Amino acid sequence: MVFTLGQCRCKIEFSFILMLALALVSGIKSILLVMLFASLHEAGHLLLLYAFHGRATALTLAFYGIGLQHRARFTKWQEALFLLGGAAVNGLFVLLNVHREINLPLLLLNALPLYPLDGGRVIALFCSERITRAVSLLTLVLLIAYAVLQR
């Protein structure tokens, strides 16, 4: 389903509707909560986007998450704040102890210095492409090593 809100093209993919329906039918509340807090994460980005006089051009809802495309003329620091705005929303919920079991992983995942996640995009703002790739690769290797050692 595609529609327009103002100048923003919004798309809800079938996979998103299917995931929502499965969660509702199966009664798995945690899937709905993840979808809710992921949406609020994106709302944090949107809030800062509009605070810095940018505008959303496209918003896509899919089973794997929410994608936001925008147009803005940010300074590097404004863009860094914009990128961290979503994680800040999840961090606020963690501090308020609101579904910490969902918001803490969302916060940590998005803050990882792994491109194209928000934390990796912040690294890319201030470092060369070579350094960004190296940090992303190191992060990925450490995550894999941690996962293997936890078995």
Side-chain angles (χ1 to χ4, degrees):
M1 170 177 15
V2 178
F3 57 95
T4 304
L5 286 174
Q7 297 177 345
C8 183
R9 180 181 177 269
C10 300
K11 180 179 181 184
I12 301 174
E13 292 188 1
F14 177 74
S15 61
F16 181 82
I17 295 168
L18 181 62
M19 184 67 74
L20 191 59
L22 287 173
L24 289 170
V25 168
S26 67
I28 301 175
K29 182 180 170 188
S30 59
I31 293 174
L32 295 173
L33 289 171
V34 168
M35 293 170 81
L36 170 66
F37 289 112
S39 298
L40 292 172
H41 172 100
E42 292 303 320
H45 290 304
L46 277 170
L47 180 68
L48 287 171
L49 176 65
Y50 287 107
F52 295 135
H53 305 291
R55 66 179 180 94
T57 57
L59 187 67
T60 303
L61 300 167
F63 80 95
Y64 52 82
I66 300 168
L68 171 66
Q69 294 176 355
H70 66 279
R71 187 168 297 145
R73 292 185 182 177
F74 291 139
T75 66
K76 279 189 178 187
W77 290 103
Q78 286 174 326
E79 188 162 358
L81 288 172
F82 162 75
L83 289 169
L84 296 174
V89 168
N90 297 118
L92 178 63
F93 286 125
V94 168
L95 290 174
L96 295 174
N97 205 23
V98 175
H99 291 287
R100 177 176 266 161
E101 72 282 1
I102 293 170
N103 282 294
L104 185 60
L106 285 173
L107 166 66
L108 295 175
L109 177 68
N110 281 287
L112 283 173
L114 183 63
Y115 195 87
L117 299 174
D118 296 338
R121 292 177 64 195
V122 171
I123 298 292
L125 277 175
F126 297 101
C127 299
S128 69
E129 185 179 334
R130 184 176 179 189
I131 291 173
T132 300
R133 275 195 246 153
V135 170
S136 291
L137 182 61
L138 178 62
T139 301
L140 190 58
V141 167
L142 291 173
L143 285 172
I144 291 169
Y146 176 77
V148 168
L149 293 174
Q150 291 303 306
R151 293 186 72 211

